[in-house]
Amino acid sequence: MNGFDEIIERGLNEIKQATDQNKLNELKAKYVGKQSELAQAMKKIAQLPKEKKADFGKNVNIAKQKILSFIASRQEEISNAIIDSKIANEKIDITLPGRKTEKGSKHPWEIIKDDLMEFFSSLGYTIAEGNEVELDRFNFELLNIPKDHPARAMQDSFYIDDVTLLRSHTSAVQSHVMLNAKGQGPIKVICPGKVYRRDDDDMTHSHQFGQCEGLVIGEKVNLGALMETLTLMIRHIFGAKREVRFRPSFFPFTEPSIEVDVSCFECGGKGCDLCKGTGWIEILGAGMVHPNVLRDNGFDPDKYQGFAFGVGIERLAMLKYGIDDIRKFYNNDVSFLHQFKGEK
Ligand code: FA5
């Protein structure tokens, strides 16, 4: 038609075969760039007779436009093909089974702690928050254990400085609660939490363990009420059949003092390594709040009496679930922890 058909056809063939943008850029330069055949042809226009100049120029432009439009449509095809292949590769197969996430389980320590909180709340107790880093004053002095008192050795402690320590028992919360009440009863609180002692770890002792403190102060509180409360708690945790014994004991902050043991699950009371041959495992200390403690913490001992108890959380869990070594609570062994799946 105009002498450029052959160039157009050649260009079209090459453009059809281009598979990426770089190749298209190259072809664009080759067919319509400054060095292209069409550009060279344009340079010759000056030498043509006047009447042919217009048609020649028009035909060069038509050829240029055709090649540019081939390039544009091939460009579109290439980018569509890229998008299509991306979609195909990134397609989500919703029929594939989902990735399984292992569900955790409640730590036996938490199970018992929560159970105690629920049980005592149902009896009208409130929950007191204590401090794990405590002043010697609250851990010992306000509990009738002055400096150099031999009873301090009962609970060898981790001191941070001369007056600060990691609390060795939850009884440290008692003074906070009593001083806050400013001598006005009644008080009925529990405080579950961690305590720390320089004990040598063995099957039933850990340097870090949990206690749940209980403190009740009122005008008609007696030892019978304490024993009834502890019996209810023990039955709640272990059921009615477990053998339990109360025995006299000594704590400087209670008078009289008692300790409570539960029969060893491992040997059924015959005596074994776990219960150190006694047939019993001690779970708690308790007693009537000592008049000195009431007085030092702002309560009139002629008007008020109180009882208090401190129960070992791991010991309860060990006896309830038959755990033969307290160190299992702290070893982070997932297969041990998984056994408590489904427990409340
Ligand atoms: C006390 O800690 C007293 N504060 C308890 C108390 C509170 C008495 C209020 C009177 C009034 P004791 O040291 O016996 O007492 O500890 C209480 C319980 O904590 C023990 O019966 C036991 O269940 C647990 N326990 C004690 N030492 C350890 C230990 N090293 N590892 C694990 N549990 C322990």
Side-chain angles (χ1 to χ4, degrees):
M1 147 202 144
N2 52 33
F4 300 117
D5 289 356
E6 188 271 328
I7 296 178
I8 295 170
E9 201 178 319
R10 217 172 349 113
L12 180 59
N13 281 338
E14 276 199 83
I15 290 164
K16 265 192 207 156
Q17 279 159 40
T19 52
D20 60 39
Q21 187 61 47
N22 286 343
K23 185 68 189 169
L24 282 179
N25 291 343
E26 203 182 282
L27 293 174
K28 192 173 175 183
K30 179 174 172 184
Y31 285 97
V32 297
K34 281 184 187 147
Q35 306 301 326
S36 65
E37 285 175 76
L38 290 175
Q40 300 305 325
M42 259 327 248
K43 284 183 190 158
K44 289 181 193 149
I45 200 166
Q47 297 150 19
L48 290 176
K50 207 174 165 196
E51 64 281 6
K52 289 199 174 160
K53 277 186 181 167
D55 269 355
F56 186 85
K58 199 171 133 200
N59 286 336
V60 170
N61 269 335
I62 289 173
K64 236 174 153 180
Q65 290 315 317
K66 277 194 174 164
I67 287 178
L68 284 173
S69 89
F70 292 152
I71 289 174
S73 63
R74 183 65 191 141
Q75 200 163 29
E76 200 178 326
E77 278 171 16
I78 291 172
S79 33
N80 285 344
I82 291 171
I83 293 170
D84 286 349
S85 101
K86 263 195 174 171
I87 290 172
N89 290 336
E90 289 170 11
K91 203 160 72 182
I92 296 167
D93 182 352
I94 54 165
T95 62
L96 278 176
R99 223 172 272 148
K100 226 176 159 192
T101 329
E102 213 32 80
K103 228 179 169 187
S105 49
K106 227 173 174 185
H107 194 286
W109 195 92
E110 289 288 332
I111 299 173
I112 296 291
K113 186 199 76 175
D114 290 352
D115 196 11
L116 287 172
M117 294 204 314
E118 227 172 85
F119 171 74
F120 281 108
S121 299
S122 76
L123 295 183
Y125 284 71
T126 54
I127 317 279
E129 290 262 347
N131 311 314
E132 285 183 34
V133 176
E134 189 51 279
L135 292 174
D136 181 282
R137 198 164 103 80
F138 288 97
N139 198 76
F140 291 124
E141 279 176 56
L142 286 166
L143 290 171
N144 204 30
I145 316 176
K147 290 220 158 53
D148 306 320
H149 191 286
R152 286 196 178 219
M154 287 164 74
Q155 298 180 5
D156 204 358
S157 318
F158 292 109
Y159 274 86
I160 293 165
D161 59 34
D162 287 349
V163 293
T164 324
L165 72 163
L166 294 178
R167 70 175 172 196
S168 61
H169 54 173
T170 45
S171 298
V173 83
Q174 286 189 23
S175 294
H176 288 289
V177 172
M178 283 190 260
L179 291 172
N180 280 344
K182 297 190 174 16
Q184 289 302 308
I187 287 176
K188 215 172 162 186
V189 293
I190 58 158
C191 172
K194 287 188 205 128
V195 302
Y196 305 85
R197 286 188 200 173
R198 286 161 55 126
D199 270 347
D200 288 331
D201 291 3
D202 61 21
M203 288 161 99
T204 50
H205 292 82
S206 169
H207 58 283
Q208 172 200 307
F209 59 98
Q211 284 188 337
C212 180
E213 192 77 7
L215 175 69
V216 172
I217 291 180
E219 292 183 33
K220 286 188 182 114
V221 177
N222 54 40
L223 189 63
L226 169 62
M227 291 176 74
E228 178 65 14
T229 305
L230 295 177
T231 306
L232 283 174
M233 178 196 77
I234 291 163
R235 290 223 177 109
H236 170 78
I237 303 274
F238 300 114
K241 290 197 184 130
R242 207 63 183 252
E243 268 198 86
V244 177
R245 74 173 183 189
F246 289 78
R247 60 185 161 78
S249 185
F250 169 77
F251 297 102
F253 34 95
T254 47
E255 181 57 39
S257 303
I258 54 173
E259 279 184 318
V260 177
D261 304 327
V262 173
S263 57
C264 176
F265 63 88
E266 189 81 341
C267 61
K270 289 193 202 95
C272 65
D273 283 351
L274 181 63
C275 59
K276 301 200 172 67
T278 64
W280 298 94
I281 293 178
E282 179 202 312
I283 57 161
L284 65 87
M288 297 303 293
V289 180
H290 197 291
N292 289 353
V293 174
L294 287 170
R295 195 177 304 109
D296 291 350
N297 290 286
F299 276 80
D300 178 357
D302 292 327
K303 185 176 173 196
Y304 286 106
Q305 310 86 47
F307 69 65
F309 56 87
V311 53
I313 293 179
E314 287 83 351
R315 298 270 179 95
L316 290 183
M318 289 173 79
L319 285 155
K320 177 161 179 159
Y321 299 120
I323 300 165
D324 59 5
D325 196 320
I326 197 169
R327 288 165 288 203
K328 289 187 176 161
F329 286 79
Y330 302 103
N331 284 347
N332 275 339
D333 177 352
V334 174
S335 55
F336 167 71
L337 296 173
H338 273 194
Q339 295 175 78
F340 301 94
K341 253 186 186 167
E343 288 288 340
K344 252 204 315 168

